[in-house]
Amino acid sequence: MIVPGSASQSLAAALAAETGQPLATPTFDRFPDGETCAAVPGFDAETATVVAATTSNDAFVELLQLQDAVREAGATQVTTVVPYMGYARQDESFGDGQPVSARAVARAVSAGTDRVVLVDPHEPAVTDFYDVATTTVSAAPRLAEPLGDLTEPVFLAPDESAVDLAACVRDAHGHGTTDFCRKQRDYDTGEVTVEPGETDPAGRDVVIVDDIVATGSTVAEAVRALTASDPGPGRVVAACVHPMLVGNARTKLAAAGVDRVVATDTIECATTTVSAAPAIAEGLRSVR
Ligand code: R5P
């Protein structure tokens, strides 16, 4: 039985349709002091697949509660799908006294499950933090589906670490080149600066590919670096697996010159255009 977290309801429904498993209907309540209570009334299966993006601290606690609720109701095998793993970017200690937050959350998730499936975690190495069998799947190839015809496309990573992701979308699209910008972030101010890549974008359609769009600053600065050239690029598309889109991020992208945003449903929002469900279904078949 598929058991959705509150932030993953559409994706869980798509996964239920993809796998033919029934869909549970959890409830999400809150006590007067603010504590959450996620419950799964009527759950009576032997196996449970909890699908819960940990987009917030509350969503993270909900995930733990859903794992516990299905065990309490008799599930003997629990699989946990984390479509978006919060804290995955804190995958090392960044200074004196700092935690490795990705490890802390991975350990907590491991305690309530037999196996884990992650979708495009920011750092693939975070799988090592889990104490149970863990596999990662990529929904990035699906981002090519809504792109349609593109003119001499360049698939551009905003920094070198996203080059493989850009290549993956390019391969799924079928043609085009890849390139990457050079990004620097000032962690005190949050300010992002991006130097353009080697490619002359004049007249070419550009697909900027990143794993996460959070504040939108990275993609917006990448677009500014592109449009500084004259003549500028053709159409500009932002493609990301995880559309976190915090605050005014969507407006920031539009103001910078992004014509279209394509994203998956690992984080539910109005921008979602493709589902990660087929990739997750494949992961569920392979994780042991
Ligand atoms: C960082 O390395 C990630 O790949 C993304 O580039 C980053 O999380 C995007 O954040 P923002 O949208 O806040 O610039």
Side-chain angles (χ1 to χ4, degrees):
M1 189 170 239
I2 305 281
V3 181
S6 64
S8 300
Q9 297 183 49
S10 302
L11 174 56
L15 187 62
E18 186 75 28
T19 59
Q21 290 188 52
L23 188 62
T25 310
T27 56
F28 304 104
D29 292 315
R30 202 173 275 280
F31 289 99
D33 60 1
E35 290 181 349
T36 62
C37 182
V40 197
F43 180 89
D44 65 353
E46 288 206 346
T47 65
T49 302
V50 174
V51 182
T54 52
T55 48
S56 66
N57 292 346
D58 278 355
F60 174 66
V61 174
E62 248 180 32
L63 181 158
L64 302 181
Q65 290 173 330
L66 292 173
Q67 290 176 329
D68 201 72
V70 295
R71 287 265 195 235
E72 184 69 17
T76 54
Q77 191 192 62
V78 178
T79 301
T80 301
V81 176
V82 189
Y84 169 76
M85 178 184 165
Y87 293 97
R89 288 176 286 181
Q90 295 181 39
D91 60 325
E92 58 183 276
S93 171
F94 295 117
D96 184 31
Q98 296 274 323
V100 181
S101 302
R103 182 177 59 204
V105 300
R107 283 177 176 163
V109 169
S110 299
T113 195
D114 300 298
R115 51 189 199 156
V116 172
V117 177
L118 304 175
V119 183
D120 293 290
H122 179 64
E123 278 297 334
V126 296
T127 54
D128 296 341
F129 293 145
Y130 289 84
D131 300 323
V132 293
T134 300
T135 193
T136 66
V137 297
S138 181
R142 304 220 73 210
L143 293 170
E145 288 171 21
L147 294 178
D149 287 340
L150 297 171
T151 304
E152 294 182 60
V154 53
F155 293 81
L156 185 68
D159 61 32
E160 199 168 359
S161 70
V163 158
D164 288 349
L165 211 59
C168 172
V169 181
R170 188 273 313 274
D171 292 348
H173 178 68
H175 70 108
T177 59
T178 60
D179 195 2
F180 63 93
C181 303
R182 283 160 194 82
K183 171 174 111 175
Q184 283 196 317
R185 187 189 293 270
D186 180 327
Y187 283 97
D188 291 329
T189 64
E191 196 181 322
V192 173
T193 50
V194 175
E195 298 291 324
E198 305 287 316
T199 305
D200 177 1
R204 299 179 64 173
D205 289 340
V206 179
V207 183
I208 302 177
V209 183
D210 209 351
D211 57 339
I212 308 166
V213 175
T215 64
S217 296
T218 299
V219 170
E221 288 309 309
V223 177
R224 287 210 179 85
L226 276 175
T227 48
S229 69
D230 190 16
R235 289 166 296 176
V236 177
V237 181
C240 71
V241 176
H242 307 299
M244 179 63 84
L245 296 170
V246 179
N248 65 354
R250 185 63 188 85
T251 303
K252 214 187 267 183
L253 300 185
V258 171
D259 296 301
R260 198 150 68 100
V261 180
V262 300
T264 82
D265 54 359
T266 59
I267 296 176
E268 290 183 4
C269 71
T271 303
T272 296
T273 44
V274 286
S275 180
I280 295 170
E282 188 62 42
L284 289 174
R285 283 190 284 274
S286 68
V287 70
R288 290 278 172 261

